[in-house]
Amino acid sequence: ETDTPDLVERAQQLIPAIPTAFGGDLPFIYAPPHALLVSTAAVPQGDDPYAAGRRASSTINRFLLLARLLHAGSHQSGWEITGASTLVAEIRPQPRTFNPVQLGSLLERVVRLSTDDAPAFAALSDFIDAAVIKRDGMAATSFDTALYRYNRAHEEGDNFERIVDLATALEAVLTGDDKGEGLSLRLKNRAAALLATPTDTGTSIFSDITKLYELRSRLVHGGSIPQKDLVKIIMSVSTVPDGAMFGVALAFAVDRTRDLVRRSFLARLCLGSGTDPLWPFGKSTPVDASLADDTTRAQWRAHWRDQLAGLGAASAANPARPGTDPITRRSNTQTQPRHSTEPRPK
C-alpha cells in the first residue's frame, strides 16, 4: 500500500527496460490503496519468452479472480507490464493499461491478504481446475463464459456495460445450456433457492435480480429508458444506501449484481464437483424440480456451503460485507438487504 511512483520504481527494478515501454511516460494512477502484484516465470533454453510472459500474466489473473471470489474485493487493475529481468533480452517490455479513464469506482471494498489466505486460495484454484467441463469441440462453454464475464465486470467498461456482463454471467452460471421457456423466472428461482441466508432472503434476491434483469434487457435490446424509471430501478435495489447520489447508487447496484454472480458461481462449482455431484456439469439434471422440494433445496444449499467450508473458505458463501463510498468514506451500513424480514440496523 503505497504511492504510484513507488510502485513504478519497484517495477522498474524488476524490469529495467520499463521506461521505453510507455514511450517515456510512466503510468500514473491515483486510486488508493495501491498494491503491486509480481509473478515470475522461468524461460528454459529454447523456449518462447512471450509464452513465459503469458504464463506469468495468467498467474496474476488467477490470483485476482480468487481474491474476488473469496473476498468480494473491488480491486481493479491499473496497468500491467510483462518483460525480462535484464536490460538486454529477447522480449521487449509489453505494457497494458486497464480502463484508465474510469479506473476509480464509487464503491470500494478493500481486501487485506495474508499467508493465512494461502490454503483457501490454493484449494479453490485446484477446485476450478478440477471441474469436469467438456471443452472438446466447443467454441465456448457456459462455465468459462461466466468466469470471463465476471472478471471483466471488474476491469472494463462503464457500469451499464458491467450490468450486461454480469447478467450474462449469472445466466451462464445458473442456466447454462438449459434454455427454453421461462428462462428469467427459472434464473431468479434458482438464485433465490441456492443463495438465501438469514440476512439475505430469497425474496430479496428474487426482487433484486428482477430489477437488474429488466435493466439488462432494456440495455441489450435497445429499449428506451426514461431517466425516472432508471433512477427508480437503481434506487430500489436492496443494498443501495438510502439517499445516495445516483452515481454512487449505480455503483452499489453493480456491486450487488457482482456478489450474486460470485456466490452463484461458487454454488454451481461446488454442486458440480466431487465424486457424486448433485448438479454435474454437462448432464441433464431436474434442477427446478429438485429445488421445489423443501428437503432437497435445503440439502443442496447446505452441500455447496459444506464444500466451501472443506476448502477453508466457509465465509465466501456469505453475502459480501458492506462496501464504502470512497468519496465520502461512508458505508451503506447495511448488514442485510432492505427486503430482509429482519429489522435494518440504525
Side-chain angles (χ1 to χ4, degrees), residues 149 160-161 163-165 167-168 171 212-223 225:
R149 295 276 187 161
F160 294 115
E161 291 174 337
I163 286 176
V164 173
D165 273 339
T168 302
E171 196 173 293
L212 294 164
Y213 214 79
E214 176 189 355
L215 179 56
R216 175 256 193 186
S217 296
R218 294 200 192 187
L219 291 170
V220 168
H221 299 297
I225 309 177

Side-chain angles (χ1 to χ4, degrees), residues 10 12 14 30 94 111 131 144 178 208 217 231 269 289 308 319:
R10 175 62 179 143
Q12 188 173 341
L14 297 165
Y30 184 77
Q94 305 293 308
V111 174
D144 296 324
D178 184 16
D208 283 346
S217 296
V231 172
L269 176 65
L308 279 180

Side-chain angles (χ1 to χ4, degrees), residues 70-71 112-122 311-313:
L70 291 172
H71 296 288
R112 294 185 180 276
L113 301 175
S114 71
T115 53
D116 294 338
D117 292 287
F121 269 60
L311 301 180

Side-chain angles (χ1 to χ4, degrees), residues 140-345:
T141 68
S142 57
F143 184 89
D144 296 324
T145 296
L147 273 184
Y148 171 73
R149 295 276 187 161
Y150 173 72
N151 236 2
R152 193 172 78 162
H154 290 80
E155 301 287 8
E156 300 180 9
D158 62 22
N159 279 326
F160 294 115
E161 291 174 337
R162 291 186 177 106
I163 286 176
V164 173
D165 273 339
L166 290 167
T168 302
L170 189 64
E171 196 173 293
V173 169
L174 293 180
T175 62
D177 300 325
D178 184 16
K179 306 303 180 184
E181 295 296 325
L183 175 63
S184 175
L185 181 59
R186 282 184 287 131
L187 175 69
K188 291 179 283 190
N189 281 330
R190 291 180 183 186
L194 292 173
L195 307 184
T197 71
T199 59
D200 191 6
T201 66
T203 300
S204 175
I205 293 169
F206 189 99
S207 176
D208 283 346
I209 294 178
T210 297
K211 295 160 188 169
L212 294 164
Y213 214 79
E214 176 189 355
L215 179 56
R216 175 256 193 186
S217 296
R218 294 200 192 187
L219 291 170
V220 168
H221 299 297
S224 300
I225 309 177
Q227 185 173 354
K228 65 177 182 178
D229 290 352
L230 176 61
V231 172
K232 182 179 180 180
I233 292 172
I234 296 301
M235 296 304 296
S236 64
V237 173
S238 63
T239 56
V240 171
D242 291 335
M245 296 184 298
F246 178 75
V248 173
L250 180 58
F252 274 79
V254 169
D255 180 71
R256 169 64 163 167
T257 319
R258 264 198 301 248
D259 192 54
L260 291 171
V261 173
R262 178 186 71 85
R263 290 153 60 197
S264 295
F265 177 80
L266 291 173
R268 183 67 184 92
L269 176 65
C270 292
L271 289 168
S273 301
T275 55
D276 189 19
L278 297 176
W279 186 2
F281 293 105
K283 294 183 180 179
S284 179
T285 304
V287 178
D288 301 298
S290 298
L291 294 177
D293 179 75
D294 291 344
T295 302
T296 306
R297 181 171 62 250
Q299 178 190 6
W300 281 37
R301 194 182 296 167
H303 178 82
W304 76 268
R305 291 176 172 276
D306 290 343
Q307 288 272 66
L308 279 180
L311 301 180
S315 61
N318 298 327
R321 56 187 169 82
T324 301
D325 172 1
I327 297 176
T328 64
R329 310 308 305 174
R330 291 183 301 179
S331 169
N332 62 359
T333 68
Q334 292 173 231
T335 55
Q336 72 274 328
R338 289 194 294 271
H339 298 292
S340 170
T341 56
E342 298 184 13
R344 185 178 178 185

Side-chain angles (χ1 to χ4, degrees), residues 14-15 53 81-86 91-94:
L14 297 165
I15 305 177
I81 302 178
T82 304
S85 58
T86 56
I91 179 175
R92 295 185 59 188
Q94 305 293 308

